[in-house]
């Protein structure tokens, strides 16, 4: 079956496969099919050059495609990972972490290890040693929901 398809479409079978994989990447984004699609297109370009050669049978074409897919995936991963730049706002979606180091005044006393502070426009639950209202505290950690404080 594969031999029949490759024979009928000739070197264009690889181009069709490459374009189908690139379209699937657009429909199902994951930045993986693009590299395999590129490998198929490169195999198609090689097929246009080598189609009449005796050694360029479909088994060799699939082997070349597999190797090119692996190489393209490794190089693509390097390209994508290199483009990850450090953010100027590393705690953008981690608001509690961005509050570490700030100081505030207790709005509610810390009793039995729990109290509340106001930072900016938000009331935060805090954990720490028992302290009265009005005590100045420093945020030392965040677990996502509660802040851990100590006397400032």
């Amino acid at each position: 079956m594969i031999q029949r398809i490759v024979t009928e479409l000739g070197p264009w079978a690889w181009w069709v496969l490459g374009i189908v994989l690139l379209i699937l990447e657009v429909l199902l984004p994951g930045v993986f099919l693009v590299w395999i699609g590129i490998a198929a297109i490169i195999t198609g370009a090689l097929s246009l050059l080598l189609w009449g050669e005796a050694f360029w049978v479909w088994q060799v074409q699939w082997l070349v495609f597999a190797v090119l897919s692996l190489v393209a995936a490794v190089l693509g991963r390097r390209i994508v990972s290199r483009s990850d730049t450090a953010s100027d706002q590393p705690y953008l979606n981690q608001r509690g972490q961005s509050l570490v180091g700030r100081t505030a005044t207790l709005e509610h006393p810390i009793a039995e290890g729990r109290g509340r502070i106001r930072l900016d426009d938000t009331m935060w639950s805090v954990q720490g040693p028992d302290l009265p209202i009005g005590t100045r505290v420093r945020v030392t950690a965040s677990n996502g929901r509660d802040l851990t404080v100590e006397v400032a």
Side-chain angles (χ1 to χ4, degrees):
M1 180 176 130
I2 294 174
Q3 185 176 6
R4 186 181 63 105
I5 292 171
V6 171
T7 304
E8 288 178 9
L9 287 176
W12 298 105
W14 292 108
W15 289 86
V16 170
L17 177 64
I19 291 170
V20 166
L21 288 169
L22 293 176
I23 289 170
L24 285 174
E25 179 66 39
V26 170
L27 297 175
L28 308 165
V31 191
F32 184 73
L33 292 177
V34 68
W35 309 118
I36 299 173
I38 289 170
I41 290 173
I42 292 171
T43 305
L46 289 172
S47 291
L48 285 174
L49 296 172
L50 303 172
W51 193 253
E53 302 297 325
F55 71 90
W56 194 249
V57 294
W58 69 269
Q59 293 92 340
V60 172
Q61 294 176 38
W62 277 98
L63 183 63
V64 168
F65 171 65
V67 170
L68 286 173
S69 294
L70 184 65
V71 169
V74 169
L75 290 176
R77 182 176 169 97
R78 284 189 182 169
I79 290 169
V80 170
S81 67
R82 189 176 348 154
S83 67
D84 290 341
T85 57
S87 173
D88 61 338
Q89 296 180 4
Y91 299 120
L92 182 63
N93 292 321
Q94 301 173 10
R95 188 166 179 211
Q97 291 296 326
S98 69
L99 300 175
V100 173
R102 296 208 30 207
T103 58
T105 305
L106 284 174
E107 296 274 329
H108 297 277
I110 298 179
E112 297 179 11
R114 309 226 9 110
R116 293 180 70 75
I117 61 171
R118 178 180 298 277
L119 281 170
D120 300 327
D121 61 347
T122 306
M123 290 291 286
W124 288 87
S125 293
V126 294
Q127 300 173 356
D130 290 353
L131 298 168
I133 290 177
T135 305
R136 201 80 179 139
V137 293
R138 175 178 294 110
V139 178
T140 58
S142 170
N143 68 4
R145 195 187 102 196
D146 296 329
L147 303 175
T148 302
V149 296
E150 64 182 20
V151 176

